[in-house]
Amino acid sequence: MTIPAGDPLVARMRPFGTTIFATMSALAVRTGSVNLGQGFPDTDGPAEMLAAAEAALRGGFNQYPPGPGQPVLRQAVSAHQRRFWGLDYDPDGEVVVTAGATEAIAAAILGLCEPGDEVVCFEPFYDSYAASIALAQAVRRPVTLRPGADGRFHFDPDELRAAFGPRTRLLLLNSPHNPTGKVFDADELRLLADLCREHDVYAVTDEVYEHLVFDDAAGPHTPLATLPGMRERTLRISSAGKTFSCTGWKVGWASGPAPLVSAVLRVKQFLTYVNAGPFQPAVAVALGLGDDYFTGFTAGMQARRDQLRAGLAEAGFTVLRSEGTYFVNADIRSVGGTDGEEFCLSMPERYGVVAVPSQVFYDDVAAGRHLVRFAFCKRPEVLDEAIARLRKA
Ligand code: PMP
Ligand code: GLN
């Protein structure tokens, strides 16, 4: 008996190695470094949510939930979007619960793109985007974000216009944006909406950091779906992981017009079928928490951004603007670095701290070679320790 020769992995997945997050977290553990690489909080979420999960675990929520998600969660997702963003989605048909935002993104791309369809996105992009686009045999059309003299990441509007064409199927937009910390402003969103309407394409928006917009953003978080003519062509994606510090629960959702949500559900039912039974009612409780939770969460994370930003500057890094998310980027040329990947591999020895090279999120690697992403979603004492180590070196 023989087995087929060669790498069994399909060609379209071969360019994708182990994710940078897994690699860098393993490096941190192996070297005893402070892990400011992978973006996950080091505290548990709100007590009410944890208590609700415990109750659900003991209270009959351990079997398959309904395919689109528990009604109580779909209702809470709908109410949350009305409350914060003024968007109305019918919990029955316009909301689907997914295994994190990651599954919603994958199912959206797999469910909406034919082979050869083009997806316009901004680079650097979250790592799952390229893989999901490749799985669908679609084509990514990245538009590059580059830091300006103001420390903010900008794109060239002409480059964006040129990325849209007859094969464009959808715009995949992440704002607040990982890994840059950019929050797309009103003018930028208007241009994106104009292009979506002009070329008659869908928008898939990844808004997992919707509650993490800070004081130096030009305005509050604005879902693209709230712009004229956009609700009917936009699939909005978010998740509980970031807002409620429960990244391991993998509870996400997609909202939009019924045909778009139905496309996601059609694919999702054959990826995971359903997920996170007892966590779904707990996330429903979290989504309904009072305004004090949400304002406290944003303010707390902004204070940590300020803490890390100041520490990085004291350690000699040129620090770029972080208007939102868990992340801030630093330019390593100010501390003698040239290549972010090399620099990050040397960081455990040099500093006892781990970060993530932003270049791995670019097709145009040269555009991000000098940038390193630091996560500040950690306890203040952990950030203090990291800063002390960075300064000592
Ligand atoms: N999109 C972005 C921009 C992210 O940073 C992340 C990761 N945290 C995800 C999607 C994935 O979210 P989830 O863990 O809910 O799958
Ligand atoms: N979103 C997190 C980050 O950007 C990590 C998620 C993951 O490890 N897949 O760091």
Side-chain angles (χ1 to χ4, degrees):
M1 226 177 55
T2 59
I3 52 165
D7 186 349
L9 183 65
V10 289
R12 59 186 179 279
M13 285 309 288
R14 280 185 212 149
F16 301 94
T18 304
T19 83
I20 191 68
F21 309 118
T23 304
M24 287 301 162
S25 282
L27 179 66
V29 170
R30 201 162 64 239
T31 58
S33 298
V34 180
N35 188 359
L36 303 186
Q38 191 175 26
F40 61 88
D42 56 359
T43 49
D44 290 322
E48 299 90 328
M49 176 184 85
L50 302 177
E54 275 181 56
L57 267 171
R58 295 177 200 284
F61 279 91
N62 295 303
Q63 310 311 326
Y64 299 127
Q70 288 290 0
V72 68
L73 177 54
R74 283 185 276 119
Q75 283 152 15
V77 165
S78 173
H80 171 270
Q81 296 182 86
R82 191 173 315 113
R83 169 179 165 198
F84 286 98
W85 318 124
L87 285 164
D88 257 303
Y89 293 107
D90 183 348
D92 298 317
E94 294 191 318
V95 175
V96 56
V97 176
T98 55
T102 307
E103 189 191 38
I105 293 160
I109 293 169
L110 289 166
L112 296 173
C113 292
E114 298 288 359
D117 280 354
E118 294 182 1
V119 177
V120 174
C121 52
F122 289 96
E123 67 172 357
F125 39 70
Y126 184 59
D127 69 341
S128 83
Y129 294 5
S132 291
I133 293 167
L135 282 171
Q137 296 182 274
V139 178
R140 60 183 183 267
R141 290 296 307 264
V143 175
T144 306
L145 297 173
R146 293 190 169 82
D150 56 359
R152 179 169 189 264
F153 283 80
H154 300 269
F155 61 86
D156 174 350
D158 290 331
E159 199 185 325
L160 177 67
R161 283 189 197 96
F164 280 79
R167 287 308 307 264
T168 310
R169 178 65 166 167
L170 55 90
L171 164 74
L172 177 52
L173 176 69
N174 172 217
S175 181
H177 183 266
N178 176 12
T180 64
K182 175 184 176 71
V183 175
F184 284 72
D185 67 24
D187 289 341
E188 293 167 332
L189 292 174
R190 202 170 309 122
L191 175 59
L192 287 166
D194 287 348
L195 287 166
C196 286
R197 284 191 310 263
E198 194 179 309
H199 292 270
D200 199 18
V201 305
Y202 294 117
V204 174
T205 60
D206 174 349
E207 302 179 45
V208 300
Y209 299 101
E210 60 193 328
H211 286 289
L212 288 172
V213 172
F214 306 135
D215 51 2
D216 54 0
H221 175 61
T222 307
L224 190 64
T226 61
L227 273 74
M230 290 307 290
R231 189 210 182 270
E232 54 263 45
R233 60 175 76 242
T234 300
L235 185 77
R236 256 199 103 227
I237 291 171
S238 193
S239 111
K242 304 296 141 64
T243 303
F244 304 113
S245 303
C246 57
T247 59
W249 286 13
K250 298 297 290 189
V251 179
W253 49 85
S255 317
L260 290 181
V261 167
S262 164
V264 171
L265 182 56
R266 205 76 69 84
V267 175
K268 184 237 154 54
Q269 65 185 342
F270 300 116
L271 293 176
T272 52
Y273 181 50
V274 292
N275 61 286
F279 298 126
Q280 291 195 19
V283 169
V285 168
L287 285 165
L289 288 172
D291 289 348
D292 52 333
Y293 172 76
F294 294 93
T295 51
F297 172 69
T298 310
M301 209 59 82
Q302 179 171 297
R304 312 227 200 133
R305 177 206 60 177
D306 293 346
Q307 185 187 352
L308 182 61
R309 185 166 67 178
L312 286 169
E314 282 163 15
F317 289 90
T318 300
V319 186
L320 303 181
R321 201 144 112 187
S322 162
E323 302 168 325
T325 74
Y326 278 172
F327 310 110
V328 61
N329 277 257
D331 186 331
I332 55 170
R333 290 174 297 192
S334 58
V335 291
T338 47
D339 180 89
E341 211 158 351
E342 246 172 59
F343 189 84
C344 284
L345 289 174
S346 75
M347 280 184 65
E349 200 178 327
R350 188 171 169 155
Y351 299 115
V353 174
V354 158
V356 165
S358 298
Q359 75 200 60
V360 303
F361 307 115
Y362 287 84
D363 283 343
D364 177 8
V365 172
R369 198 180 293 287
H370 55 290
L371 301 177
V372 165
R373 188 196 82 172
F374 291 84
F376 49 76
C377 49
K378 307 291 173 184
R379 284 168 291 141
E381 58 272 30
V382 172
L383 294 179
D384 273 340
E385 174 61 27
I387 291 165
R389 292 180 183 200
L390 290 164
R391 291 184 59 180
K392 204 158 89 195

